[in-house]
Each structure stands twice: as structure tokens, then as C-alpha cells.
Amino acid sequence: MDGRDLVRSVRLFGTVRGLRVARSAWRRRRTDAWGLPPRGAERARVPGPVTGAEPAPGGGIVRFARSELLVRVAATGVVFWGWDGAEPEPSYALDGAPPKPDPRAELEPDKDGGWRIVSERVTVAVSGHGGVEIRTPGGVVLRRDLPPRWWEPVGGGPARWLQRSEVAADARFFGLGGRASGPRLRDGAYRLWNTDPRGSFGPGDDPLYITMPVQLVVADAGTHLAFLDNSWEGRVTLREGEEGAGSGHDRPGTSEVRMGGGPLRCWVVVGTPARVLRMWTGLTGAPTPPPSWALGHQHARWGFGSEREVRRVVAGYRERGLPLSAVHLDIDHYDGHRVFTVDAERFPDLPGLAKDLRTDGVRLVSIVDPAVKAEPGNEVYDSGAAAGAFVMDGRGREVRGEVWPGECVYPDFTDPRVRAWWGGLYEERLAQGFSGVWHDMNEPVAFTPFGDMTLPRSARHCLEGRGGDHREAHNVYGLEMARAGHEALRKLRPEERPFLFSRSGWVGMQRYGGTWSGDVATGWPGLRASLALVLGLGLCGVPYSGPDVGGFDGHPSPELFLRWFQLGSFLPLFRTHAALGAGRREPWEFGPQVLGHARAALLERERLRPYFVTLAHLARLTGAPYVRPLWWGAPADRALRDCEDAFLLGDALLVAPVLEPGADRRAVRLPRGLWFDTASGVAYEGPGQVLVDAPLSRIPVLARAGAVIPVRGGDGGTELEVWSPAPGRTGSGVVVEDRAVPGSRPVVERYASRLVDGRVVVERVSDAGAVRPERRVRARGGAAERAPRRAQP
């Protein structure tokens, strides 16, 4: 650290805090200088030629001159491979035991000295020098992993490694967690290190809060997901392929993954997008559905300031006829920003406030940060220090960093004892009347004027008893904090489904809740990044997410706020939020025109609430995200693979948000089939592109012909809205009613629609046959009987 860093620290954080931040950063550097000696000379290694094999159920071990490879195919077709003795466990990603190997699949000799495993759904071929190919049952190569390379310190220590892979020339990459530049990942390098981007971010910023070594690859030949199960810091470099013109050769797409340590092991899942996500969540855990109230609109602000202001805002929603489900309290409601406390002067009766709001159908949600103020007399610090709960350095001293409360320590959530201790603290939040928690700053963050705002890489962690340092623990820190909170809420309130969402996390975080965009920049690029994040996270198995509507910082124009609000009303987590000093995000603050259009969006969200509840439970049952890319049902459609400005909400609705200022019409690309504009009733025949109206009052939403959608009726009950099937075709839909008790099995009602003599008929389908539905049915889309407008290529 030099003088320039000190000046930068004072400029960013103010004089007193800036000096403390500078001291903390200097201490972190000194800790790493002592705890992480230089790697020194390294020795490179490759597998070398094959020397033999040992068959086993589902695969076996292939031995090479300088390494060995374990390959295993499960009965579901899921493939695992690991080098140098790497097994599927231990793993923070897996939910329970790994899938059992397929006893029918055996390791057998292949050409040129290689080996292969042939199963019903996939073929795995291992070359004579350590390459691994994933093929379809018909023999088409979906992925080719080239022989890896390791660099091992001569004096000992973790080996860093490189894995290069090739995919089809027409393939497109998706995933890698929450990426603002997605959902399609263009050529470039993507860092695997959960990061607070130092303020608001836009499409060009990387990495962000949730990074995952998960690639979803979509090509003409098929879809596959590849997960390199390693939580260490890494970097993924992607390059899309290019198809040869005329007699020219194709250039395959490439992926290059570099990791600073940890095991080299991989899971691969192949099939349709729906099957891939179903198998993926079967491996890493089914998404936990939020309580039904958390599928309504939620309002947050950093800086409510007092109980009076909270009541004023809630009254403003009620007086203007605006539905509201929850209010989120940020760190300003704490006493001196100390977690699990309350500022009694500004919030003298928090339980009374929560009770009054709940009478109006509004819940309170509390922010929870992991940093604990290192102050004797602070009850949380004292109890944690007595329990040995905090992260230590290599010399056995508490690791400290500067965060909002001041000098702080950090619980080690990779220790089961610490998770239990931390979870017990949530009893205080429930006693204050909160109905859910919002985890923030849990990358984790330690303020610094340079480099990553996090803990020293040499900081020591339990890692479930294995022991290790922050290089391995950093990316799973937020995941394990979410685990601690979720398990605590289930224990403390077993009769309620927990509500928790977290800014940071890793593979499998859907088991404990959802996430949100973090501090997305206010502006039209930030609006576009919001959609990219939700789509990308859904394809990694995290279906419940959403942005800060209006952007975190700055002051959105009325048009920008409204377009963001309209998009948010069709995303799983629908939350307005703003930074301290960034103005208000209540809809009436933007004028009567915006208020009227925002009310319409809110009422439509409430009307669709049964559909969102259904999608939440289907996500748990099938792994399918609520928000899906347009290619979800047609991955071979290349035009859909490149479309990033619209999405499917479930199977029934196509939503086309307005992402540019001044637009009152926009082009919408349609998948194959008949689609109805839900506002005008005009029918369009896809595939292709159509131009539709997008007035300021709404964004375009189209319904698939034949779709049966559960909606809220005038009496508050659930009724069926069915869009007329095309002549000669049928449609379908499902309804899942919410069961508030955790663990209760949802009841799935299945419906089919068809045209009979020009009249729409809906029947409930069960094992006993088709019967008339007991629910009220409202048919829409009579235009299907007229000639639809054909989309342009």
C-alpha cells in the first residue's frame, strides 16, 4: 500500500473511516504476505499416454503415465469425471449423495488405445492421452475436453490447472452465474470470484456477486450443461465458433478454464433444456419455493429513517389502491449498523409496527449482514468470540475488516457449529416481527481502496472439518450463510415456509432461497442488465431472482422507472429499492401518469399471482425457471438462441419489455406456433418476427394459443384463463395451489384445451380420465378462427 492508496481511501470513505479502511487493507496485505508464501518454481504435468483401465459399475478408472481419470455415468445419463483421485464428494454443490452409477454401462476398449462408456442417453469416450468426449447416442460430439495441464509448486502446495474444451461451431454459451453482459456469453474472459463491484454496475462489469463454473451450451446437435465442481478462484475464457463457408472447415467454439487450485472434476448433463435443468436440480437441489406473499410486490429503501416513514409509505400504497406484500428494512434500522439490534429511538416499537402492517397484509423483511462489530459489550460479538465462531488468520488471530458498523469480524459459515450459533440469532429477528431475511454484503465484503473488497486469501476456514483457506472458502461463503439462515428459520418457524434471499452464493443456493441483482446502475443499460441476470441465474438453477426496480443509484426518469417497473412485474422477485440519497422509488413520486400505469402493472401482477405460485412449485418439481429464454422449447432455432430482449414466463406467456427510451413499438421474435397479443387480441403465427405496439401504458405480452393459465378472479379465488387453441391443435396448462406448510406435497392439477365446433373446451386430466373443471373458465382469443398475421423471418 502506498500514499496514493491512502489518498484514494480517504476520498472514497471520508477522513476517519478512510484511515481505518487504509489500515485494514494494509493489515490484509501483511497477513497474506505471511500466510501465503510465493509459489516459487513450478513443474508442469499432463496425463501422458494411457497405461490401463479398471472397469467398475457405470464406468471405471483409466490410468495414464502421470495421472488417472475416474469416469462414471449415472442411470439418468449424468456424467462425472475426475482427475488425480477426485471423487464427487465432498462438495458444497451436491444435495445429498451423488447419483448411483448405471450398472448397464461398462468401460470398454475403444479405438486408438482409448476407452468408452456407452449408455442409453450418452456415450463417453476417453482418448489415449486423456481427452474426454461427450457424445449423443447417435455418436454426435457435444463436447470435447482436451487433456488437462497442471502446474505444481516444486516446494509443495496446491496445483493450479487448465482445462480446454471444444463445442460445436454453432454453439452458444450461457450461465456462469449472474453476468450483466448475458444471457448469451460472448467472446471474452469471465472471472470466478464473487465480487462486490464497488458501487453500481452495468453490462460491462464483471465479475459480480454470484459466479458459478456452470456452462449451459446450446447447439443444433443438442444442449448440455458442464459444471467444473471447484470453488477456488478461476477464470473462464470463451470463444464462439465459426462455421466454414463453402468447403471451408468449421472452427469449434472453445472454453478455457483456469483454476488456482482445488480438484479437477466435472459433471455433464445432456438432453433438452427442460431435461438438463431437471437433472441439474436433481443433482444440486430442488429450488425452495418462496411463500406466496413473496410473489407479490415488495418495497425497500436504504434510508427509511424511522417507523413514521415506513407507515407513511405503506399508507401511500393503500390510499392509492396499490397492492403491496412486503417492506424491507435496510441497515439504517439497526443501532449503529450492528446486526441483530434495533435503533430504539427511530423504531421504538418494531414488533408493533410489524403487527400493524401484517393486519394490512404487508410483511416486514430484515437485512442481515455477516460482519459483526468487533466491540466488547456487543452481545453478538461476545457470544461469537466465546464460541470461536469467527474467521482466523494463520496465527490464530481474528481476521478483521472495515464495514458499515466499523471494525468487524466474520463468522466462519463453513463450520457446522458456527452455522448453528448464527442460526440461533435469527430468533431475535422473528421476535421483532420480521417475516423474512435479506442477506447482503456476504461475498463477504471488507472495504479497501484497492483490489477485491474481501478477506485475506490466507484466512483460515473450517470447511466442514477438512480445513483450508479463503481461496477455497470465498465463493461458498454466501452459500453457507444462506444455509445457516434457512435451516434456522425452518427450525424456529416449522409451520411457515422460510423467505430468504441472498446477494452472494454459489452452486446449489436455490436450496435455501433466491437472490437479487445487487446494486445495478440506474440507466437504460442497467435495465437491460437486469434481464440478463435473471435469465442467466435461472439457467444455473436459481429461478427466484429480480432486480432493484429503478436501479440502485441515481435518479431514474419517469419513463425509465415505469419501463423498469413493468419489466419487474413479470419477474419472480418484484422489488423496488434505492440507495441512500438516490431518491424515492414509490410510484407516485414520478407523477400521475406513471402512477396510473404502475397501478395497472401491479394489478396485473396480482391477477397473475396464482400463475407465479404455480411456476414456483413447478420450479421445485422440475427445475424449470419461471423466466426462460425464448429458445427454451426450440433450442435448434438459431434466431431464438440469439434473442436476448424478450423471455418466456413459464410455457404460456411471452414478455417483451421495452429496453430503449422513447419506444412505442418494438419487434418481437416468436417461437413456432400461434400467439395472441393479450392487449389487442391480435393473433400471430410464428416462427419469425412481428412488430407490436408498446405504448407507455404497457409492455407487449403474448399468450401461447391453447394455454390454460391460473389467474385470480374477482372473488379472490383461482380461475382458468384459456387462450383459444389453433384449429386442429390442442393446448394445456397446470395449476398448483400453494400449501404453506413446509414439506407438504403440492397438488398438481393438469388441464387440456381444444376446439369443438368453434367453441373452446377445457377438461381436467387425471389418471381417472378427463372431466369438466370445477374452476371457472374464461375463454379468450376468438381471433384464432380468423387468419392470423404471419411473422416475418
Side-chain angles (χ1 to χ4, degrees):
M1 180 174 178
D2 56 25
R4 287 175 298 180
D5 293 326
L6 179 59
V7 171
R8 186 183 305 116
S9 178
V10 171
R11 185 179 301 152
L12 288 172
F13 300 101
T15 304
V16 176
R17 169 161 282 168
L19 291 173
R20 292 202 306 259
V21 167
R23 182 186 64 181
S24 175
W26 174 79
R27 191 165 52 203
R28 187 183 76 167
R29 281 193 171 185
R30 186 182 62 177
T31 300
D32 277 345
W34 182 88
L36 292 178
R39 292 178 63 88
E42 294 181 317
R43 183 184 298 110
R45 174 168 62 92
V46 294
V50 66
T51 60
E54 181 182 326
I61 297 175
V62 183
R63 293 190 172 87
F64 298 84
R66 289 175 290 277
S67 188
E68 67 179 31
L69 173 68
L70 169 64
V71 186
R72 188 177 295 157
V73 180
T76 57
V78 176
V79 177
F80 171 83
W81 55 255
W83 286 97
D84 288 349
E87 295 272 353
E89 297 178 299
S91 170
Y92 279 106
L94 301 189
D95 184 30
K100 294 181 179 180
D102 185 353
R104 300 168 298 176
E106 297 182 354
L107 191 65
E108 59 187 41
D110 199 8
K111 60 184 179 180
D112 300 326
W115 294 80
R116 69 177 183 178
I117 305 166
V118 180
S119 72
E120 181 181 359
R121 295 185 179 275
V122 68
T123 295
V124 183
V126 181
S127 75
H129 286 82
V132 180
E133 286 187 354
I134 306 296
R135 305 171 182 166
T136 67
V140 178
V141 177
L142 294 176
R143 185 180 192 88
R144 178 180 292 113
D145 293 303
L146 305 180
R149 181 180 294 268
W150 295 266
W151 289 267
E152 300 165 330
V154 173
R160 59 189 180 93
W161 52 260
L162 164 68
Q163 176 66 66
R164 291 191 176 98
S165 308
E166 295 179 349
V167 297
D170 67 281
R172 296 289 183 260
F173 294 100
F174 301 86
L176 295 184
R179 304 286 170 170
S181 59
R184 172 185 163 193
L185 302 177
R186 265 69 171 186
D187 295 0
Y190 300 87
R191 193 175 171 207
L192 297 171
W193 187 254
N194 293 349
T195 303
D196 183 335
R198 294 177 172 272
S200 60
F201 67 88
D205 293 303
D206 188 272
L208 298 178
Y209 314 98
I210 300 174
T211 64
M212 298 180 184
V214 178
Q215 298 176 19
L216 189 72
V217 184
V218 185
D220 288 355
T223 300
H224 75 272
L225 180 148
F227 165 47
L228 286 158
D229 190 355
N230 185 316
S231 64
W232 282 63
E233 180 178 8
R235 187 174 299 274
V236 181
T237 303
L238 301 178
R239 185 184 181 190
E240 292 183 345
E242 184 177 347
E243 293 181 293
S247 59
H249 292 289
D250 287 352
R251 176 175 60 80
T254 59
S255 166
E256 180 181 282
V257 181
R258 293 179 180 267
M259 287 288 188
L264 174 47
R265 57 186 178 179
C266 184
W267 292 91
V268 181
V269 187
V270 302
T272 65
R275 184 180 186 278
V276 166
L277 265 293
R278 184 169 67 252
M279 295 297 102
W280 174 238
T281 52
L283 189 68
T284 61
T288 183
S292 60
W293 60 262
L295 293 168
H297 179 237
Q298 305 177 52
H299 187 82
R301 190 201 302 165
W302 180 9
F304 275 119
S306 68
E307 176 181 323
R308 175 184 293 182
E309 176 65 5
V310 173
R311 291 184 183 275
R312 185 193 71 82
V313 170
V314 173
Y317 272 91
R318 183 175 60 249
E319 292 163 2
R320 293 169 176 85
L322 304 175
L324 181 65
S325 290
V327 169
H328 299 196
L329 299 189
D330 212 316
I331 55 175
D332 54 287
H333 87 278
Y334 284 126
D335 181 8
H337 294 165
R338 292 190 297 269
V339 68
F340 300 116
T341 64
V342 177
D343 185 329
E345 182 176 337
R346 291 183 295 156
F347 291 87
D349 184 15
L350 198 51
L353 171 65
K355 182 179 180 181
D356 291 345
L357 296 188
R358 190 153 185 169
T359 301
D360 290 333
V362 179
R363 268 78 168 182
L364 273 184
V365 175
S366 171
I367 194 171
V368 174
D369 290 355
V372 176
K373 186 173 178 63
E375 177 183 61
N378 175 7
E379 185 177 343
V380 177
Y381 173 73
D382 290 343
S383 66
F390 302 122
V391 176
M392 302 288 184
D393 64 15
R395 297 174 177 176
R397 301 176 301 189
E398 291 174 348
V399 171
R400 297 191 175 190
E402 187 74 18
V403 202
W404 300 119
E407 189 175 54
C408 293
V409 291
Y410 300 82
D412 181 6
F413 295 115
T414 69
D415 187 333
R417 297 180 303 105
V418 176
R419 290 197 297 270
W421 164 76
W422 181 263
L425 301 175
Y426 286 73
E427 187 171 8
E428 181 273 342
R429 294 286 86 186
L430 297 182
Q432 296 291 351
F434 289 106
S435 298
V437 292
W438 149 34
H439 287 176
D440 201 359
M441 306 288 286
N442 58 339
E443 289 70 35
V445 171
F447 295 150
T448 177
F450 54 83
D452 293 320
M453 296 201 297
T454 190
L455 305 187
R457 282 165 166 73
S458 61
R460 304 300 298 172
H461 291 265
C462 173
L463 292 168
E464 315 307 316
R466 293 181 289 111
D469 60 41
H470 197 65
R471 293 174 296 178
E472 181 179 359
H474 174 84
N475 283 336
V476 299
Y477 189 88
L479 171 75
E480 292 305 284
M481 181 184 179
R483 177 181 179 182
H486 179 83
E487 291 176 349
L489 293 174
R490 288 193 62 180
K491 180 179 179 181
L492 293 168
R493 291 274 178 87
E495 73 282 359
E496 295 183 11
R497 194 157 59 241
F499 178 56
L500 182 152
F501 64 105
S502 171
R503 189 170 81 171
S504 185
W506 201 62
V507 178
M509 64 181 296
Q510 71 277 357
R511 301 191 294 261
Y512 313 120
T515 184
W516 91 104
S517 66
D519 302 342
V520 61
T522 296
W524 293 94
L527 171 60
R528 187 176 289 271
S530 297
L531 178 56
L533 283 160
V534 175
L535 281 165
L537 286 164
L539 294 175
C540 291
V542 185
Y544 183 79
S545 67
D548 285 344
V549 168
F552 180 69
D553 63 346
H555 299 268
S557 67
E559 181 190 12
L560 174 61
F561 174 80
L562 179 59
R563 291 308 195 187
W564 215 318
F565 198 88
Q566 290 166 335
L567 168 62
S569 69
F570 288 97
L571 299 179
L573 173 58
F574 181 20
R575 182 178 92 141
T576 49
H577 183 44
L580 188 67
R584 304 180 187 277
R585 294 291 188 269
E586 292 84 48
W588 56 87
E589 298 289 343
F590 296 88
Q593 184 182 38
V594 169
L595 173 60
H597 298 331
R599 180 185 293 109
L602 280 171
L603 294 177
E604 179 64 6
R605 172 65 173 232
E606 285 301 300
R607 194 181 74 90
L608 289 173
R609 183 83 75 90
Y611 187 48
F612 276 92
V613 169
T614 293
L615 294 177
H617 287 284
L618 289 179
R620 179 171 183 80
L621 293 171
T622 69
Y626 313 31
V627 171
R628 309 165 187 178
L630 294 187
W631 49 259
W632 178 260
D637 188 325
R638 297 189 179 188
L640 293 180
R641 290 209 295 260
D642 294 340
C643 183
E644 302 176 284
D645 61 356
F647 60 91
L648 298 174
L649 182 60
D651 284 331
L653 298 177
L654 189 159
V655 182
V658 174
L659 305 176
E660 298 176 351
D664 59 5
R665 303 192 81 193
R666 62 151 293 175
V668 179
R669 183 157 293 278
L670 300 178
R672 183 176 299 279
L674 189 67
W675 297 85
F676 292 95
D677 185 320
T678 57
S680 67
V682 174
Y684 299 94
E685 184 72 39
Q689 187 168 273
V690 297
L691 191 64
V692 297
D693 291 333
L696 194 61
S697 60
R698 61 179 176 85
I699 57 176
V701 179
L702 295 99
R704 191 189 300 271
V708 181
I709 307 172
V711 298
R712 179 170 290 173
D715 60 356
T718 299
E719 61 184 34
L720 305 178
E721 180 175 88
V722 55
W723 289 86
S724 176
R729 304 179 195 173
T730 59
S732 63
V734 299
V735 178
V736 184
E737 290 281 12
D738 189 54
R739 299 290 187 268
V741 179
S744 60
R745 187 173 182 83
V747 177
V748 181
E749 303 173 12
R750 303 183 183 278
Y751 295 91
S753 65
R754 56 194 173 95
L755 278 178
V756 178
D757 298 329
R759 184 174 60 89
V760 177
V761 175
V762 178
E763 297 172 317
R764 181 173 178 180
V765 181
S766 67
D767 294 338
V771 297
R772 287 187 59 184
E774 297 177 358
R775 302 183 184 277
R776 180 184 175 188
V777 176
R778 188 161 67 95
R780 297 187 65 184
E785 299 177 32
R786 303 193 297 269
R789 302 181 186 181
R790 187 165 297 277
Q792 299 300 310

